[in-house]
Amino acid sequence: MAATEFHKVAVLTSPQTPDAKPTFEVKNVPRPVPGPNEVLVRLSLTSLCGSDLGMALGHMGPMRDILGHEGVGRIASLGSNVSSLDPTVEVGQRVGVAWLRDVCGTCDMCVDIVHEGETRCVEALHSGKAYDGTFAEYTLVPLRYLARLPATYDEIPDEEVAPILCGGVTAYKAIKGCDLTPGQWLVVSGAGGGVGALAVAYASAMGYRVIAVDAGESKEAYCLSQGAEHYVNAIGSEDAGLRVKSLTDGRGAKAVVVTATAAAAYQKAFDMLGPFGTLMCVSILPEEAQVIFHPLMFIDNGWKVKGSSVGTRADIIEALEFVKRRKVTPAIKWAKLEDLGNLMGQMIERKLEGKYVIKL
């Protein structure tokens, strides 16, 4: 019998409750072995996503104790059926490991091709839930939903690919879903965060005029550097909604993309919307969070409220095209697995800027 091989992981050690302070322990555990229809991926790095904090706090239901879903690596070994099912899959191929690990392909969501419903598959398998996440040296991915990275993107380093696999593609897909015309005003609420800053960058690259909204003056320079034309301090002396209206000649924005993890951000978004505007919901709030509205707000203004959930593998490739052309460049900072607890603590206090990337 072959000796057991081990790999390094970060294990969540705190309770998955909204009032917890996330803590992690880095340890060596047995390396996973691929099933017949799976591949084993040796991750080179992973980045930290805001959703990882929500998962650690129980906002997305019970999770495994190895989180993470923005990983990049290469196939290390193949399950026994893989070569016969798809001979183009080979050891050494570069792949991304994102939130979605597999979809059923047959539920009412998956078969709705018009709405690209696979991102809402009712039987979906997710990182950190059905499979151990990417806060680990190795992880398993089902062949059916393998996200191969084409050779045309070899020039993009792993550390710039990883943030796009969730934060970047989520921002890009949400903006696409607003159905705007280049030149129209778009507000990003929570613009200084990981997803928010990427939303600013993508919206600017796509030709929209961006107003960044966040709490505190310290995030202004960062948001402007990502492509925002204006920055509005949500805790400033002037009401944020009135400030947005004044910057748009009194009309309001055509869309508000909310990436801030606060119910107040959603509530304030109504004050920023112009006629026939779209409120795009991205950030995940605790179950008890509430947003109050009256139907006349939508009847009188022609507003729409929509939600966007990550993106398909095709969306990831589209989002990477902006990075390849240097229209979007993720602002990354380096960290270690041992830093996860501290980073999530800073995330709770909304002090993080940019995307933290962890070498594995």
Side-chain angles (χ1 to χ4, degrees):
M1 181 179 294
T4 301
E5 295 185 277
F6 291 82
H7 70 137
K8 187 165 72 171
V9 303
V11 176
L12 179 70
T13 54
S14 53
Q16 295 176 20
T17 56
D19 57 346
K21 180 181 178 182
T23 57
F24 295 82
E25 180 183 353
V26 177
K27 57 172 65 175
N28 289 316
V29 301
R31 184 186 300 178
V33 177
N37 301 327
E38 296 174 330
V39 302
L40 178 67
V41 177
R42 173 54 168 104
L43 296 164
S44 63
L45 51 78
T46 185
S47 51
L48 174 64
C49 181
S51 298
D52 290 316
L53 174 61
M55 294 176 203
L57 298 178
H59 294 172
M60 302 174 73
M63 305 297 296
R64 293 190 174 213
D65 56 12
I66 300 177
L67 304 178
H69 56 278
E70 291 183 338
V72 181
R74 294 186 180 273
I75 296 175
S77 63
L78 310 177
S80 57
N81 290 343
V82 170
S83 293
S84 60
L85 291 170
D86 189 343
T88 68
V89 176
E90 300 175 343
V91 170
Q93 284 181 330
R94 190 183 187 210
V95 298
V97 183
W99 168 235
L100 278 176
R101 293 288 179 101
D102 201 2
V103 297
C104 73
T106 58
C107 69
D108 287 344
M109 291 295 189
C110 282
V111 298
D112 193 333
I113 299 173
V114 171
H115 294 100
E116 298 175 328
E118 68 182 54
T119 61
R120 295 179 173 89
C121 171
V122 297
E123 302 291 340
L125 303 180
H126 295 116
S127 291
K129 206 161 191 174
Y131 282 87
D132 285 342
T134 58
F135 296 157
E137 290 180 326
Y138 287 85
T139 196
L140 298 173
V141 179
L143 171 65
R144 183 166 58 179
Y145 211 77
L146 185 63
R148 283 177 272 189
L149 299 171
T152 185
Y153 299 108
D154 282 352
E155 64 194 75
I156 306 176
D158 288 356
E159 62 267 25
E160 291 186 3
V161 172
I164 305 304
L165 295 174
C166 184
V169 74
T170 295
Y172 171 65
K173 188 63 174 287
I175 294 164
K176 275 210 307 182
C178 292
D179 299 320
L180 303 186
T181 300
Q184 291 181 321
W185 287 104
L186 179 144
V187 170
V188 178
S189 178
V195 176
L198 284 164
V200 170
Y202 273 106
S204 177
M206 294 162 75
Y208 307 126
R209 304 185 70 182
V210 184
I211 299 173
V213 177
D214 213 316
E217 295 296 341
S218 63
K219 297 183 179 181
E220 179 173 5
Y222 177 50
C223 291
L224 295 178
S225 74
Q226 297 305 297
E229 287 191 37
H230 303 285
Y231 178 80
V232 173
N233 182 1
I235 57 174
S237 56
E238 185 178 8
D239 181 85
L242 291 176
R243 178 64 176 146
V244 168
K245 288 286 180 68
S246 69
L247 291 170
T248 56
D249 298 324
R251 293 191 298 268
K254 206 66 178 177
V256 178
V257 178
V258 181
T259 66
T261 54
Y266 280 100
Q267 196 70 59
K268 275 292 182 183
F270 293 123
D271 297 334
M272 303 173 188
L273 278 176
F276 302 102
T278 298
L279 170 59
M280 181 59 75
C281 305
V282 175
S283 61
I284 299 169
L285 305 180
E287 266 188 26
E288 65 274 11
Q290 294 185 352
V291 180
I292 300 171
F293 68 89
H294 192 283
L296 280 175
M297 295 164 63
F298 304 94
I299 295 168
D300 289 347
N301 295 291
W303 289 342
K304 292 182 292 185
V305 177
K306 301 174 70 175
S308 187
S309 176
V310 292
T312 65
R313 288 170 294 177
D315 291 320
I316 290 173
I317 296 302
E318 289 180 20
L320 284 174
E321 190 65 29
F322 286 82
V323 181
K324 179 182 177 182
R325 295 169 53 215
R326 312 316 288 168
K327 299 298 183 182
V328 171
T329 304
I332 64 165
K333 299 178 181 179
W334 291 99
K336 299 179 292 185
L337 283 176
E338 289 80 2
D339 300 327
L340 277 172
N342 179 53
L343 291 175
M344 286 199 181
Q346 293 182 55
M347 197 179 289
I348 291 173
E349 298 175 2
R350 299 177 187 170
K351 292 181 178 179
L352 284 191
E353 287 184 2
K355 292 287 288 186
Y356 277 82
V357 177
I358 297 167
K359 288 185 176 179
L360 298 168

